[in-house]
Amino acid sequence: MILTFYGVRGSVPAPGQHTVKYGGNTPCIHLDTGEDFHLVLDSGTGIIPLGEQLVKDNKPIYLLLSHNHWDHIQGFPFFKPAYQKNRQIHILPGLTRPMQPRAILNQMTGSLFPVPSGQLGADIRVMASPAPHTPISIGELTITRRILNHPGGGSAYLIDNQQHRFAYITDNELFPPGPVNTSLEQWQEFTRELDLLIHDAQYFPDDFPAKSGWGHTCYESVIELAIAAGVRHLCLFSHDHRRSDDEVEQMLARVSSEIRRQKAPLEAFAAREQNSFILDKHG
């Protein structure tokens, strides 16, 4: 499996000189499994450059959404494959409250966008959403979900191809001040011995307590989760839009230092646009 990052920022796009290295697009990841389809995680502005690549073939696309906040759906109206005649696009909505399975298409209604979703050329199908713990099969992949600790909820995804397992958990607060959808112990079990954990690390310690309850996690808590769960590789994701490339590197340096201090068998990196992570027999 090859994961390629196309959008790594949280909340709003962050173009400018301060984000050139890590990128300024909002969340989107492409997964190449070697099968005859594309799998895409989230539809932030990162899906726009991804669309420039996917429009070159006619393989079906499976788009798995974490939730419906703007930074996770705002790229879809500009996604070129959606305009290809008869291109199959299957959309799995997030586990939100309330469930709004067509939110990504409804953003193109009325005065909100000049092209209504009904005029798109693609064959777009919103998939039925089973219960959170019910596995979903796409090709050779088995996908399981948990509910995010985020305002309005959402989906975390664990993807297993019977050889490697990784999880995508963005916009998730490990220690929310209010109701808990998924406890720390449940996250530890969900991520146990993963090959790769991609987790929200949007906040620094000094962002708290002001942003407690906003639905994002401090990188310090993410390290502890990854170590406790015995994860092999940790990807710090959803960089705050105000965070410069230098600050992202400072975060990564602190994370790496803490891993060394604890002598944990864990490797960490920060998500960076256009970079890929390969899960193979060596990864």
Side-chain angles (χ1 to χ4, degrees), residues 195-246:
D195 296 294
L196 172 66
L197 169 61
I198 303 169
H199 197 287
D200 180 293
Q202 186 158 338
Y203 290 153
F204 279 27
D206 58 8
D207 286 315
F208 292 93
K211 294 189 176 179
S212 178
W214 287 34
H216 297 278
T217 294
C218 174
Y219 65 81
E220 291 180 339
S221 299
V222 179
I223 305 170
E224 296 306 318
L225 169 64
I227 292 175
V231 169
R232 294 180 62 196
H233 299 89
L234 170 64
C235 174
L236 306 167
F237 190 74
S238 190
H239 310 315
D240 193 278
H241 58 95
R242 304 164 303 163
R243 205 80 66 206
S244 69
D245 290 330
D246 287 345

Side-chain angles (χ1 to χ4, degrees), residues 91-153:
I91 300 174
L92 180 64
L95 293 164
T96 61
R97 289 192 299 269
M99 285 294 292
Q100 295 176 292
R102 295 185 62 83
I104 192 170
L105 300 175
N106 290 343
Q107 69 177 318
M108 302 176 70
T109 58
S111 62
L112 300 177
F113 195 76
V115 181
S117 62
Q119 293 182 13
L120 296 173
D123 178 9
I124 300 173
R125 306 177 186 182
V126 177
M127 300 168 64
S129 181
H133 291 249
T134 302
I136 299 166
S137 295
I138 299 177
E140 296 298 318
L141 301 177
T142 300
I143 300 169
T144 52
R145 300 179 294 171
R146 294 293 182 271
I147 301 176
L148 299 172
N149 295 325
H150 193 67

Side-chain angles (χ1 to χ4, degrees), residues 13-67:
Q17 294 182 347
H18 69 297
T19 61
V20 169
K21 181 173 182 178
Y22 285 93
N25 280 308
T26 51
C28 181
I29 300 174
H30 176 258
L31 176 64
D32 180 358
T33 67
E35 297 185 70
D36 197 32
F37 61 84
H38 297 284
L39 190 139
V40 181
L41 293 161
D42 271 332
S43 184
T45 56
I47 206 171
I48 302 171
L50 173 59
E52 299 288 345
Q53 302 301 315
L54 300 194
V55 77
K56 297 175 183 177
D57 65 47
N58 201 42
K59 295 179 182 178
I61 297 169
Y62 288 86
L63 173 56
L64 312 186
L65 297 176
S66 59
H67 60 304

